[in-house]
Amino acid sequence: MQAGMAAASEITKEETQVSSSDNIHPRLDVYVWDMDETLILLNSLLKSSYAEAFNGLKDVQKGVELGKMWENLILKLCDDHFFYEQIENYNKPFLDVLSKYDDGRDLSDYDFNQDELGSPHDDANKRKIAYRHRIISQKYLQGLHNILDHETIKVWDDLYDKTDEYTDKWLSSARTFLKECSGENKDAVSSIAYANTSTDSTNSKHQHVNVLVTSGSLIPSLVKCLLFHLDSLITHENVYSSWDVGKVQCFRWIKERFNHPNVRFCVIGDGWEECEAAEIMRWPFVKIDPRPGKPHRFPGLTSKTVGHYFSVVYPDNENDEE
């Protein structure tokens, strides 16, 4: 946290000055989230580090069992519904990366098990991957309740509730905070709306968007968004995998996409990689710490705290209404 704040304080007012024409360009805050051990808890359950930090107050084995159940459910959904077994070795940083290879073919009767996806990684195979990415996008928009059977939905709902209880409402409070960061007019803010700096489609003085940059591979990360009820707050276009390209590259893509004259970025995560990338981009970084008693965790983190980080890097906005 100190490193992020120190780097932030070194940025000059000139470098962070934003456009004064707020009526033409409403302020846009882009929240760049990490996933694991930030919006969700999974690795720390599997490795028991979450429970052990409570010094005997948490049942360690129960946490490990919950983590294994999540792991099995994620992998099952990836393979059964999201082509993961077929495209695991073709991880991409985001779903639209191969969209230029998609010729728009009707896929209603397309046999994904017989199209011989494989080497070489030429245009023909890139098109096959693009087809799968299109279907994955559609399924993400549908939501799991329109994909899974009743029995699987019940298992999923029960697992979510048990994990939320075990983690003292980490999952639900993180989602509530994500919703708060989305702003009241989140439906008016799409991933496309602010890719064009000329947009003035909304009269609001302050807009928000959530973007996810995860170090995990893309398809399991999208499935996690669905399983942990994040899909209504983070669109599939706004999910990035830094697995192959690194977080700095993902952050640069995000900066290019939201090339808005009145934009502010804030990175929220638990790891060194996003902290380092945030410093390179000169964006504020809020370090999540899941240990009990720490302020930057869920529940606990507040918009006022995040607003303070914003104000250090973007001092011209520090007195704006939230």
Side-chain angles (χ1 to χ4, degrees), residues 27 36 48 91 167 181 183 186 234:
R27 193 177 81 199
D36 290 294
S48 73
N91 182 64
T167 59
C181 289
K186 64 180 183 296
I234 303 175

Side-chain angles (χ1 to χ4, degrees), residues 84-269:
Y84 188 54
E85 190 172 1
Q86 296 180 359
I87 61 176
E88 181 178 3
N89 295 325
Y90 304 99
N91 182 64
K92 301 299 176 184
F94 51 92
L95 280 181
D96 290 342
V97 72
L98 296 177
S99 59
K100 67 179 181 180
Y101 296 97
D102 189 341
D103 56 11
R105 173 179 174 173
D106 182 358
L107 301 177
S108 56
D109 61 351
Y110 186 88
D111 191 343
F112 287 99
N113 294 316
Q114 299 296 327
D115 68 351
E116 298 181 348
L117 171 65
S119 299
H121 196 46
D122 55 13
D123 288 0
N125 279 300
K126 288 177 181 178
R127 181 172 294 109
K128 295 170 187 176
I129 298 172
Y131 287 164
R132 287 162 172 80
H133 282 187
R134 194 206 312 170
I135 297 298
I136 290 168
S137 299
Q138 293 171 356
K139 289 186 175 183
Y140 191 96
L141 290 171
Q142 284 180 308
L144 292 182
H145 282 92
N146 294 311
I147 298 173
L148 304 180
D149 57 55
H150 178 74
E151 182 179 350
T152 305
I153 289 174
K154 187 179 186 305
V155 170
W156 165 35
D157 287 341
D158 289 346
L159 181 57
Y160 185 94
D161 290 341
K162 289 178 181 177
T163 308
D164 201 36
E165 180 181 3
Y166 179 80
T167 59
D168 304 318
K169 304 298 182 182
W170 184 288
L171 302 182
S172 58
S173 62
R175 187 183 184 281
T176 297
F177 189 77
L178 189 70
K179 186 175 182 180
E180 184 179 345
C181 289
S182 299
E184 293 182 358
N185 297 323
K186 64 180 183 296
D187 292 336
V189 182
S190 71
S191 61
I192 299 174
Y194 278 98
N196 185 338
T197 60
S198 65
T199 184
D200 57 358
S201 59
T202 175
N203 293 324
S204 173
K205 293 181 179 179
H206 192 177
Q207 294 295 320
H208 317 254
V209 65
N210 291 305
V211 181
L212 185 72
V213 180
T214 172
S215 56
S217 54
L218 182 62
I219 305 308
S221 299
L222 289 161
V223 170
K224 287 179 186 179
C225 283
L226 289 161
L227 284 171
F228 288 93
H229 304 296
L230 305 176
D231 52 303
S232 64
L233 299 166
I234 303 175
T235 65
H236 63 79
E237 300 100 332
N238 288 345
V239 177
Y240 290 78
S241 166
S242 65
W243 180 279
D244 298 301
V245 298
K247 294 209 169 182
V248 174
Q249 177 60 68
C250 289
F251 287 9
R252 286 173 175 157
W253 282 329
I254 292 166
K255 184 179 181 180
E256 291 172 4
R257 272 186 62 202
F258 299 98
N259 183 23
H260 189 268
N262 204 5
V263 65
R264 309 190 306 177
F265 297 91
C266 184
V267 182
I268 306 173

